[in-house]
Amino acid sequence: MAEQNSKPAKAWGGVFTEATDALFERFSESISFDSRMYEQDIEGSIAHAHMLSDVGILTKEEFEAIRDELLNIKGTIARGEMVFSSALEDIHMHVEKALTDKLGDVGRKLHTARSRNDQVSTDFRLWIRDAIDKLDALLQGVQRAFVARCDADFDVVVPAYTHTQRAQPVLAPHIWLAFVEKFERDRERLADCRKRVNTLSLGAAACAGTSLPIDREKTAQYLGFERIAANSVDVSSDRDFATEFAYDMAQIAIHLSAWAEDWIWQSTVEFDFLQLPQAYCTGSSIMPQKVNPDVLELIRGKSARVVGNLQSLLVLTKGIPLAYDRDLQEDKEPIFDSFDTISISLALAAPIVAGMKLKRESIAARLDKGYLDATSFMEYLIRRGVPQRTAHGVVGRLVRKGIETGRALAEFPLEELRDACDLVDESVYDYLGAVNAVNAMKSYGSTAPDQVRFQIDSWKKKLAL
Ligand code: ARG
């Protein structure tokens, strides 16, 4: 980045008699990160110029010259041939300077009825809109990976935990679909955020609009924006569309982190429920036996920065006076960082989900531990007319006996069960044991096999699998 004082390159000038301090110039640049929005900046400028020609501020020839040169500049940047300099501060100034260098006075007309305040907001909205679409596809990829393995895992019964204690037995696909549901809500949140992001800022100019006869409908149409921001002061001060996106990404990070946490402990020797694909694990330099789940630890660990980025945006926009303030330049790096982190995490999650091996035998061998069928037994008694609180007590006492004598509930002889409650008969054994307990389930959204089958099929349809 060039560091020389560079008065002539500035977008202002008239009122200034002093050149910009070199250290301040380096401090104030945003080109090192906002160059990432060059395509959006050029798209926005072409739409703006197009609209200016529609209303007669530019001639058709001037618009075409501007458009063609902007497309050339886009190629130059794409090829990595543009030299970025902190003297030109940001992507907007770089593109405009390149344009004026080529077109002279025609290029100098592009910024008519526009300020960098509505320009930067527009670029950022376009960038986030695109980022939302990319994240949606990545989230869908993870959902597909989970749904795609549901058929193969359909007969696997696993313990569901509450308080990390064995709670009730469920089908493995019921767990997979729990993650699919979470990622679906993440997608819904993004889609909802997209509605507010998809709003035209251009035309607000610096903060008050413009006295020139612009046509914002046209600009919106060219950029595919569904709404036009109705208040120019709001436009130049508003970043809640970005904060909202930061939250949506933080929630995705939290979902990924919780999933990673589950699979980390389930891959330990102590649990031995699953094996992660080795392509995503690392070994140890000193302990030859180690296969470490670093990828999941990093997905869990990196959620911290994504949550931090949300915090940054909230604090950044707290209490800044209307309308635009330069503080707002700090809005982009947290968003870019969250997006990069989440994108890679999601891109890694899909093949890990697809490649994970369930340790079926190891899971099955311990399924009669922990009285996963106690609730099933209790509901059996309830169906026979025993009040819930009473049934709970009966089963609780039997579980205590089982723990003392080292037996599962299904191992109790009928006489002993009848001693506890004389409403019990032979049919009770159809409800004891983890598999029977799963099969006894009925309610909508439960782990009942026909419910899970129904959910798998509807997800397959939804995801076109
Ligand atoms: N580099 C600035 C940013 O990212 C562009 C807007 C500058 N506007 C201004 N009034 N100084 O926010």
Side-chain angles (χ1 to χ4, degrees), residues 62-81:
E62 285 172 331
F63 159 59
E64 284 167 1
I66 288 173
R67 180 197 58 205
D68 293 351
E69 190 46 37
L70 284 171
L71 291 174
N72 286 339
I73 294 168
K74 186 161 127 181
T76 307
I77 301 176
R79 291 190 300 276
E81 287 166 10

Side-chain angles (χ1 to χ4, degrees), residues 30 34 89-90 92 116-117 120 324 326 328-329 332:
S30 56
D34 67 17
E89 186 180 315
D90 55 30
H92 327 296
R116 279 185 299 157
N117 297 353
V120 71
Y324 177 84
R326 190 63 180 279
L328 295 178
Q329 181 172 291
K332 280 162 222 77

Side-chain angles (χ1 to χ4, degrees), residues 95-362:
V95 170
E96 199 183 327
K97 169 83 165 42
L99 184 75
T100 10
D101 283 352
K102 263 279 163 48
L103 300 185
D105 274 351
V106 173
R108 296 172 73 84
K109 291 185 179 182
L110 171 65
H111 209 51
T112 306
R114 188 176 74 169
S115 150
R116 279 185 299 157
N117 297 353
D118 57 346
Q119 188 179 358
V120 71
S121 168
T122 303
D123 293 4
F124 206 23
R125 285 174 182 278
L126 289 170
W127 191 91
I128 291 177
R129 188 175 73 181
D130 189 48
I132 285 174
D133 296 343
K134 287 180 176 144
L135 286 181
D136 185 69
L138 286 165
L139 282 163
Q140 205 181 111
V142 180
Q143 287 182 309
R144 282 163 169 272
F146 272 116
V147 174
R149 59 176 303 149
C150 281
D151 285 340
D153 298 339
F154 195 77
D155 57 335
V156 181
V157 174
V158 296
Y161 293 82
T162 62
H163 314 270
T164 333
Q165 303 291 322
R166 289 196 162 202
Q168 288 183 274
V170 295
L171 293 178
H174 197 50
I175 304 264
W176 306 162
L177 294 185
F179 290 116
V180 172
E181 294 283 346
K182 291 178 200 305
F183 292 128
E184 183 69 5
R185 288 193 296 279
D186 290 335
R187 292 179 62 196
E188 286 171 11
R189 263 184 288 274
L190 286 173
D192 198 55
C193 173
R194 196 184 192 281
K195 291 187 217 154
R196 283 172 288 282
V197 166
N198 205 14
T199 302
L200 177 77
S201 294
L202 278 175
C207 63
T210 174
S211 60
L212 296 164
I214 60 170
D215 182 346
R216 299 185 71 204
E217 290 280 353
K218 276 270 156 62
T219 318
Q221 187 193 317
Y222 295 145
L223 293 172
F225 283 122
E226 284 160 3
R227 320 177 190 188
I228 297 173
N231 184 302
S232 58
V233 173
D234 179 38
V235 166
S236 62
S237 59
D238 163 40
R239 288 298 183 274
D240 55 55
F241 66 88
T243 309
E244 187 179 352
F245 182 45
Y247 165 69
D248 293 350
M249 292 193 287
Q251 186 58 73
I252 296 168
I254 293 303
H255 281 154
L256 284 168
S257 182
W259 160 71
E261 167 71 9
D262 258 20
W263 282 24
I264 287 168
W265 55 257
Q266 288 174 15
S267 70
T268 60
V269 169
E270 284 72 17
F271 274 87
D272 200 31
F273 278 11
L274 56 87
Q275 190 185 330
L276 299 168
Q278 285 204 349
Y280 302 94
C281 295
T282 64
S284 155
S285 58
I286 183 168
M287 297 167 283
Q289 86 284 10
K290 295 299 290 293
V291 181
N292 295 325
D294 295 36
V295 67
L296 295 180
E297 292 167 322
L298 284 167
I299 287 174
R300 183 177 61 186
K302 282 174 189 284
S303 67
R305 63 200 292 158
V306 181
V307 172
N309 289 334
L310 168 60
Q311 180 81 347
S312 290
L313 276 159
L314 287 168
V315 177
L316 172 71
T317 48
K318 164 197 167 294
I320 60 160
L322 289 182
Y324 177 84
D325 296 276
R326 190 63 180 279
D327 313 46
L328 295 178
Q329 181 172 291
E330 291 290 310
D331 61 355
K332 280 162 222 77
E333 285 164 294
I335 291 289
F336 293 160
D337 181 63
S338 285
F339 174 76
D340 291 343
T341 307
I342 292 298
S343 299
I344 298 181
S345 299
L346 290 168
L348 287 167
I352 293 168
V353 169
M356 180 276 278
K357 282 203 181 65
L358 268 184
K359 302 278 209 71
R360 291 161 168 259
E361 279 109 62
S362 170

